[in-house]
Amino acid sequence: MTVSLLLRNVRPYAGPATDLLIENGKITQVGANLTAPAGVAVEDGKGEIVIPGLVEAHTHLDKSLWGQPWYKNEVGPKLLDKIDNERLSKKRLDIDPARQSARQSIQSSLMGTTHIRSHVDVDTEHGMWGVEGVMQTRDEYRDIVDIELVAFPQSGLLRRPGTLELMEQAMAAGCEVVGGLDPCTIDRDPKGHLDAVFALCQRHGKPLDIHLHEPGEVGAFSMDMIIERTRALGMNGKVTVSHAFCLGTPDPALIDPLIEQLAELDIAIMTTAPASRPAPPVKKLLQAGVRVCSGSDGIRDTWGPYGNADMLERAMFVGLRNNFRRDDELRLGLDVCTTEGARVMEIAGYGLSEGSNADLVILPGETLAEAIVTRSPKRRVVKRGRIVARDGVSVRTAP
């Protein structure tokens, strides 16, 4: 890699203006009035804010309907209704995982995301179709975004015999994270489900990211079992619980002991900051020392029509859901979608300091709070030291 770039007059995190010299995909110098080496391109930052690349720590690249005809949603209200409808509709609606994941990845990139963790369905009806498609996108679009795959048993692990064997196959093929789903309410065998997914982690030496939609005391029971296994297997720092609606229960006697153990074992929490469900208390978790990340979840799929892959908008949702009003609180919302997400995904070299990877976003705004609430489309996105999107236009063309 030989791409070099001097970003002049940018304001890291809306602080004082400075210059960033980027060489071979890394920030090599930070300081005012830097001299551009011969042959290095210069980009005028115009006094705009620069932040590290946004981190999409929870989405489903294989199932987006982005770029397809509008889908009329008439699906029943239960979780299993949505799961079964989606599985049966994939071929009928031509939701090709390679094409659709590429479309969503380009959209995410031009909005400022530089890293994605995608849960990818593994089931007995479609086998490795999703994994193979998203892996193709991961390999072909590395120039604009890094993608990490979670092998995800969306239709259930034990309730559909053969799925566990496919999960083994997905991990052997190169998925970076083991996924799981609602041990009590989907598989109805919490011990069996958790034994299986933790065993996959142990065999392949990989972390776990488990969906936990289960509310209240049922969710707390599953969470306690996850905590128990994390402790017993020494997987501290290697487990993420996604959604964790149970932590939104307004009963400190139920959730405070869980939060204490999450912090002790360094178990991370992912929240989309949903408007319609109880949500984990972000500030309380961060103050306890728990890593908290966020993501768009499904984007315009058979589950719901919402989403535009904008993690800056997601930072606003985190703020709204948690009643963040002060500027320093809004910064917490941004951190969840940047540095905290990078900590959860264990992204090496993330940040704006010398030696960091040159994955960043330049955007208008006087302060970070203003940038979050206005969410200007006038963004410049840099990946590995190269400008890959400008004002909503990507260097890549969607298939």
Side-chain angles (χ1 to χ4, degrees):
M1 178 184 291
T2 58
V3 175
S4 297
L5 178 68
L6 177 63
L7 295 179
R8 196 175 294 287
N9 189 24
V10 291
R11 296 185 297 123
Y13 290 107
T18 190
D19 300 341
L20 303 181
L21 179 62
I22 297 167
E23 298 174 288
N24 293 318
K26 292 188 178 294
I27 300 171
T28 56
Q29 291 186 56
V30 179
N33 302 313
L34 295 180
T35 301
V40 171
V42 178
E43 178 78 13
D44 183 3
K46 303 177 182 178
E48 293 184 343
I49 296 169
V50 62
I51 60 174
L54 294 159
V55 178
E56 167 69 86
H58 185 106
T59 192
H60 298 264
L61 289 175
D62 58 315
K63 57 183 67 177
S64 174
L65 291 165
W66 196 272
Q68 295 198 207
W70 188 258
Y71 169 74
K72 186 178 180 180
N73 193 324
E74 299 175 308
V75 183
K78 295 184 295 185
L79 185 63
L80 279 173
D81 292 337
K82 297 176 177 65
I83 289 171
D84 292 342
N85 172 71
E86 178 184 62
R87 187 180 63 255
L88 297 172
S89 297
K90 284 181 178 178
K91 293 289 187 180
R92 177 177 63 84
L93 297 175
D94 188 28
I95 308 176
D96 178 76
R99 182 188 66 237
Q100 295 309 117
S101 61
R103 289 175 176 176
Q104 185 179 322
S105 294
I106 291 171
Q107 174 65 17
S108 291
S109 169
L110 64 85
M111 300 304 279
T113 288
T114 57
H115 294 81
I116 295 173
R117 172 177 282 186
S118 177
H119 297 254
V120 183
D121 287 5
V122 175
D123 64 63
T124 52
E125 191 146 338
H126 300 288
M128 292 281 287
W129 190 39
V131 168
E132 291 165 353
V134 178
M135 282 185 173
Q136 179 179 328
T137 294
R138 179 190 65 185
D139 295 341
E140 292 182 4
Y141 291 84
R142 289 185 189 276
D143 59 324
I144 63 169
V145 66
D146 286 312
I147 298 172
E148 179 180 78
L149 279 77
V150 184
F152 179 48
Q154 174 73 88
S155 294
L157 184 64
L158 305 180
R159 69 191 289 264
R160 294 179 66 86
T163 304
L164 182 56
E165 289 75 14
L166 286 167
M167 289 282 288
E168 286 274 11
Q169 189 177 340
M171 297 309 300
C175 286
E176 292 91 348
V177 185
V178 174
L181 174 70
D182 295 335
C184 290
T185 57
I186 298 296
D187 271 341
R188 299 187 179 186
D189 182 358
K191 181 183 183 302
H193 182 97
L194 293 174
D195 283 351
V197 296
F198 273 95
L200 278 170
C201 294
Q202 294 289 294
R203 282 195 294 276
H204 294 274
K206 299 296 185 181
L208 174 69
D209 189 333
I210 182 168
H211 283 59
L212 189 62
H213 306 97
E214 297 165 356
E217 292 184 352
V218 173
F221 172 73
S222 290
M223 181 80 79
D224 194 55
M225 295 187 74
I226 293 167
I227 290 169
E228 177 184 59
R229 279 159 176 74
T230 302
R231 178 178 284 111
L233 295 171
M235 285 186 60
N236 305 40
K238 298 298 181 182
V239 175
T240 301
V241 181
S242 287
H243 302 300
F245 296 152
C246 63
L247 293 180
T249 302
D251 180 1
L254 182 67
I255 68 167
D256 285 359
L258 293 175
I259 291 176
E260 183 179 347
Q261 293 179 88
L262 294 174
E264 175 197 347
L265 298 172
D266 193 16
I267 296 173
I269 297 296
M270 191 295 303
T271 179
T272 64
S276 60
R277 293 288 186 274
V282 167
K283 192 172 185 178
K284 185 173 185 176
L285 287 164
L286 291 173
Q287 288 175 338
V290 178
R291 290 173 297 151
V292 181
C293 61
S294 190
S296 303
D297 204 6
I299 293 177
R300 301 193 192 179
D301 55 20
T302 61
W303 289 59
Y306 304 109
N308 58 7
D310 185 0
M311 289 303 295
L312 202 61
E313 182 178 78
R314 190 60 49 179
M316 182 188 72
F317 290 160
V318 171
L320 286 169
R321 189 66 181 82
N322 289 273
N323 196 28
F324 290 170
R325 297 172 183 269
R326 294 166 49 102
D327 281 34
D328 56 350
E329 291 176 327
L330 285 169
R331 169 65 186 267
L332 291 179
L334 179 64
D335 287 348
V336 165
C337 298
T338 53
T339 53
E340 287 290 315
R343 289 180 65 212
V344 172
M345 289 180 59
E346 299 184 306
I347 299 170
Y350 182 88
L352 295 178
S353 61
E354 292 182 1
S356 297
N357 295 326
D359 299 334
L360 48 91
V361 187
I362 308 164
L363 66 165
E366 181 180 346
T367 67
L368 288 175
E370 182 185 9
I372 292 167
V373 300
T374 58
R375 301 181 310 287
S376 170
K378 299 290 185 180
R379 308 177 196 181
R380 286 171 280 178
V381 185
V382 177
K383 181 65 181 174
R384 295 189 180 89
R386 173 173 173 253
I387 295 175
V388 296
R390 188 187 296 272
D391 299 341
V393 179
S394 174
V395 296
R396 301 295 301 267
T397 301

